[in-house]
Amino acid sequence: MTLTKIVNQIKSYIFLTFAVCVSSLGWAGFLIPSDIIGGGVTGLSSTFYFLWGWDIGITSLTINIVLILLALKKLGFSYGVKTVYCIVLFSTMLSVLTKYFTEPIISDIFMATLTGAALGGSGTALLFINGGSTGGTEIIAMIINKYKNFSLGRLLLTFDIVIISTSYIVFQDIEKIMYGLISMAIFSYCIDLVISGNKQTVQIFIITDKYEEMMDKIMTVGNKGVTMIDSMGGYTREHRKILMVISKKRTSSILFKIIKDIDSEAFVTMGNVSNVFGKGFDRIKG
């Protein structure tokens, strides 16, 4: 293994450790001490904790070990070293932090739900980005999906709703179920936001008489590739040039500054696009 690969691996594990800390803080510092049962294995472990006082970290680790062994037998695959590391570290952090945080960091239950779910979802997303995972009910969903034609998303949603609904058995309180469902929605939203937010791509079409100058500036100053398309106006029947640019959304403001400086009267459209493959973007998988 080269020095570069070793450094990259070290960086990856640092990010994974940080992500686990963020996620476990969301659960142990906000959700669990507020008596909120979320979804997944951690939510199920929380139920056992509230019912019988079982250590959440140990329970979570035990359930995940059983699920991984089940996956090995039924699906014929194994989780990587990073995932095993994350599962063990996450379980350990939960065991330690739940003993430390006997009261929620924020006393208001709604703000605790919002903050805890946001931290939990963001941490989980960072794990996914860096090739880690804390295990969970997706293993069961994948096993069922192998034998029955059910949607993975619907199965996971069903599991989460069932687990969250167990809070009524524990607390006899409908509000606790609602807070659990709210936490699940925020959790999912934060995962999507963190994972896709940095990868959002836009497609910009520019119609301008100064297309040559515009194209040169976009390539040299904006450092973007440009495609020139021949077109004809439907009403005027005039032949025009259209410039097409694919850009990360976060850098699109540079392009609009270039467009405004060269031709503030240019006709411009911008739309979100997904699954952009090629140089500078994602690789085609499969």
Side-chain angles (χ1 to χ4, degrees):
M1 185 179 288
T2 63
L3 180 60
T4 303
K5 288 184 178 180
I6 293 173
V7 172
N8 289 336
Q9 283 294 320
I10 293 173
K11 287 181 180 178
S12 178
Y13 276 95
I14 290 173
F15 278 117
L16 289 173
T17 303
F18 172 75
V20 168
C21 291
V22 170
S23 186
S24 57
L25 179 63
W27 281 96
F30 297 90
L31 297 178
I32 295 170
S34 298
D35 296 339
I36 297 170
I37 295 177
V41 167
T42 309
L44 183 60
S45 301
S46 301
T47 301
F48 296 145
Y49 168 76
F50 291 125
L51 283 174
W52 302 305
W54 292 2
D55 185 285
I56 293 179
I58 295 174
T59 305
S60 176
L61 179 61
T62 303
I63 295 173
N64 274 312
I65 289 173
V66 172
L67 290 176
I68 290 174
L69 292 175
L70 191 62
L72 285 169
K73 181 179 179 181
K74 296 294 184 181
L75 301 178
F77 70 90
S78 61
Y79 278 96
V81 175
K82 287 183 178 180
T83 296
V84 174
Y85 169 77
C86 293
I87 289 173
V88 173
L89 181 60
F90 183 67
S91 300
T92 303
M93 291 291 292
L94 284 178
S95 293
V96 173
L97 292 177
T98 48
K99 290 179 174 62
Y100 182 79
F101 292 108
T102 55
E103 297 291 333
I105 297 174
I106 298 176
S107 58
D108 182 79
I109 189 169
F110 179 76
M111 290 304 298
T113 302
L114 180 65
T115 308
L119 288 173
S122 300
T124 301
L126 291 173
L127 288 178
F128 292 157
I129 291 172
N130 289 280
S133 170
T134 55
T137 51
E138 65 265 18
I139 298 175
I140 302 175
M142 291 174 70
I143 293 172
I144 295 175
N145 182 256
K146 180 180 179 181
Y147 298 101
K148 299 289 184 180
N149 189 25
F150 293 131
S151 164
L152 284 174
R154 289 182 181 179
L155 285 170
L156 289 170
L157 179 62
T158 302
F159 289 148
D160 285 341
I161 290 174
V162 170
I163 291 170
I164 291 170
S165 298
T166 61
S167 62
Y168 187 78
I169 301 173
V170 180
F171 303 110
Q172 303 291 309
D173 189 349
I174 294 294
E175 284 189 7
K176 296 294 184 183
I177 296 178
M178 295 308 301
Y179 281 120
L181 294 174
I182 290 170
S183 72
M184 182 184 69
I186 297 171
F187 197 95
S188 300
Y189 175 77
C190 287
I191 289 177
D192 291 339
L193 185 66
V194 173
I195 290 177
S196 64
N198 196 44
K199 294 184 176 180
Q200 284 187 335
T201 307
V202 293
Q203 184 179 60
I204 302 174
F205 287 104
I206 310 162
I207 301 177
T208 173
D209 291 331
K210 301 178 180 179
Y211 55 85
E212 290 285 357
E213 183 183 358
M214 188 87 70
M215 183 169 60
D216 290 340
K217 283 286 186 181
I218 290 173
M219 289 191 293
T220 55
V221 178
N223 196 28
K224 302 293 181 185
V226 185
T227 300
M228 186 184 293
I229 303 170
D230 289 316
S231 67
M232 184 176 67
Y235 178 75
T236 63
R237 301 296 178 180
E238 293 181 358
H239 289 277
R240 303 292 299 273
K241 299 290 186 182
I242 298 177
L243 303 181
M244 183 187 76
V245 185
I246 303 294
S247 169
K248 296 293 185 183
K249 192 171 186 177
R250 65 179 184 275
T251 60
S252 61
S253 59
I254 299 172
L255 299 177
F256 276 94
K257 185 178 185 305
I258 293 171
I259 295 168
K260 184 179 179 181
D261 289 343
I262 295 175
D263 183 4
S264 60
E265 300 298 319
F267 184 82
V268 183
T269 65
M270 182 177 78
N272 293 322
V273 294
S274 60
N275 298 325
V276 179
F277 303 105
K279 188 175 181 180
F281 296 91
D282 294 333
R283 291 185 177 183
I284 299 175
K285 300 178 180 63

